[in-house]
Amino acid sequence: MRICIHNFGVAVCLAIFSAGCYSESSIREQVGTGMIQTFYTLSVNKSGLPLRVSVNGVPILRWSDPDHATSSTGIHLWAKPGVNELTLDIGWLQDQTSEYGNGRVEVELLSLIEQGDLEEQKSLLQQNWPTCANPDYPTQLSLTWEAEGVQPTQLWSNAQRTVLSPDDREKILDLTEQLHHAINSKDLESVMVFSALKAKDVGIAMHMGAAEGERSLRDFLEFMVEGPDFALNTLDRESLEIHDLANGLIFLVSGPSYTPAIQSEGVQMEVYISKIDGEFMIIR
């Protein structure tokens, strides 16, 4: 069994590098018998409208169509100590009226507290929409909750808010191309260098520790590139998009329409970059 974090509605459950998925056994090995660990899960049920769900300014679920959809998504990677924000951007389709009944959204945030073999699940907040007979939309709803048991990470402690210059954009695209080339060449040592901060920061966020985060990343890379026919899809620099998230703290690099920048048959990886100590680094 694996604990998965979905990005923009894409369920890719392989290992840490897909930003990310982690084997449950790997996490539980770190919990031990006395340590208390808290994980957060978001359950979403929507129909009749487009929807984007963000945690602290980072979209984690995204649907551009009105079809019915459900998701249960771990959000620990994006949680931070103290007050956290959950944002629902509820869309609207031009061929629909805004009468009650055309669209519905149900959201519930759960915490899972683990101590050894003991588990306790709590519902922290719930939100249903619409809340009246004639709602206005498109609309945005913002909810907050106080996170407990979340470890401080480089992302939320040291990332520098940045307004990208043309030179900054080139640096971000260069880093993405270098990562793609290293993975495609099966140069795992270079990938580990490019992703060193990510591996450690994710390990801390997931209660595994920095060393286990690095080991999990390497394990995933070895799995990802195994086989003589491994090859990533071609990366077209000109078509790459840089999305400003969390008011300039994080930048997502993607293909058109949020397609993951790094992908091969059966494997997809999103690339999140932040500016830390004056340098652009892969953070998730």
Side-chain angles (χ1 to χ4, degrees):
M1 180 179 180
R2 293 184 183 273
I3 297 174
C4 301
I5 296 173
H6 299 56
N7 290 311
F8 297 101
V10 179
V12 183
C13 189
L14 291 173
I16 184 172
F17 208 45
S18 54
C21 299
Y22 308 83
S23 68
E24 185 176 1
S25 61
S26 176
I27 293 175
R28 291 182 183 277
E29 285 174 2
Q30 306 303 312
V31 172
T33 57
M35 297 176 62
I36 298 176
Q37 311 288 0
T38 304
F39 299 94
Y40 293 95
T41 300
L42 187 67
S43 295
V44 179
N45 183 2
K46 74 96 184 176
S47 62
L49 42 71
L51 176 67
R52 183 177 66 214
V53 182
S54 303
V55 174
N56 293 324
V58 180
I60 58 169
L61 293 168
R62 185 176 183 272
W63 292 279
S64 59
D65 59 65
D67 298 342
H68 175 258
T70 61
S71 178
S72 182
T73 303
I75 60 172
H76 350 290
L77 281 185
W78 304 110
K80 58 184 178 181
V83 177
N84 289 253
E85 184 176 31
L86 176 67
T87 305
L88 309 178
D89 287 294
I90 299 171
W92 176 68
L93 297 177
Q94 294 294 329
D95 59 350
Q96 291 187 349
T97 65
S98 58
E99 296 177 359
Y100 176 80
N102 283 346
R104 295 174 184 268
V105 177
E106 299 173 355
V107 174
E108 183 176 18
L109 178 67
L110 302 167
S111 67
L112 176 64
I113 303 172
E114 297 184 348
Q115 184 174 19
D117 294 330
L118 301 177
E119 294 183 355
E120 180 183 6
Q121 183 169 282
K122 294 181 179 180
S123 178
L124 300 181
L125 62 82
Q126 293 180 307
Q127 178 68 53
N128 294 338
W129 184 93
T131 58
C132 62
N134 188 25
D136 293 324
Y137 61 104
T139 190
Q140 183 182 86
L141 303 178
S142 292
L143 312 168
T144 60
W145 87 95
E146 187 84 16
E148 299 179 354
V150 174
Q151 300 298 315
T153 60
Q154 290 280 332
L155 170 58
W156 299 118
S157 300
N158 296 323
Q160 300 168 237
R161 204 171 301 280
T162 305
V163 177
L164 293 182
S165 67
D167 185 56
D168 290 334
R169 298 181 67 86
E170 293 304 308
K171 290 178 180 178
I172 288 175
L173 295 178
D174 286 345
L175 181 55
T176 304
E177 282 191 324
Q178 291 165 359
L179 176 64
H180 182 277
H181 177 74
I183 296 174
N184 208 35
S185 303
K186 301 186 179 183
D187 181 2
L188 302 192
E189 295 307 317
S190 292
V191 177
M192 292 298 297
V193 171
F194 293 138
S195 306
L197 179 60
K198 167 184 173 175
K200 295 175 182 178
D201 218 42
V202 167
I204 292 170
M206 297 298 294
H207 303 302
M208 296 188 294
E212 179 63 19
E214 290 179 312
R215 187 178 73 84
S216 294
L217 171 55
R218 185 175 291 276
D219 287 347
F220 172 72
L221 291 171
E222 292 174 352
F223 165 81
M224 182 180 183
V225 304
E226 68 180 359
D229 298 326
F230 166 77
L232 291 178
N233 293 357
T234 300
L235 187 70
D236 180 8
R237 183 184 179 109
E238 297 303 316
S239 69
L240 290 177
E241 300 174 353
I242 300 176
H243 306 274
D244 183 333
L245 309 179
N247 294 319
L249 285 180
I250 307 165
F251 299 95
L252 168 66
V253 184
S254 78
S257 301
Y258 291 96
T259 55
I262 308 292
Q263 57 181 320
S264 65
E265 185 176 353
V267 180
Q268 297 180 342
M269 186 185 81
E270 291 177 317
V271 179
Y272 295 90
I273 293 174
S274 291
K275 197 172 191 178
I276 308 284
D277 296 331
E279 298 291 333
F280 288 106
M281 300 182 183
I282 297 169
I283 194 72
R284 291 289 184 269

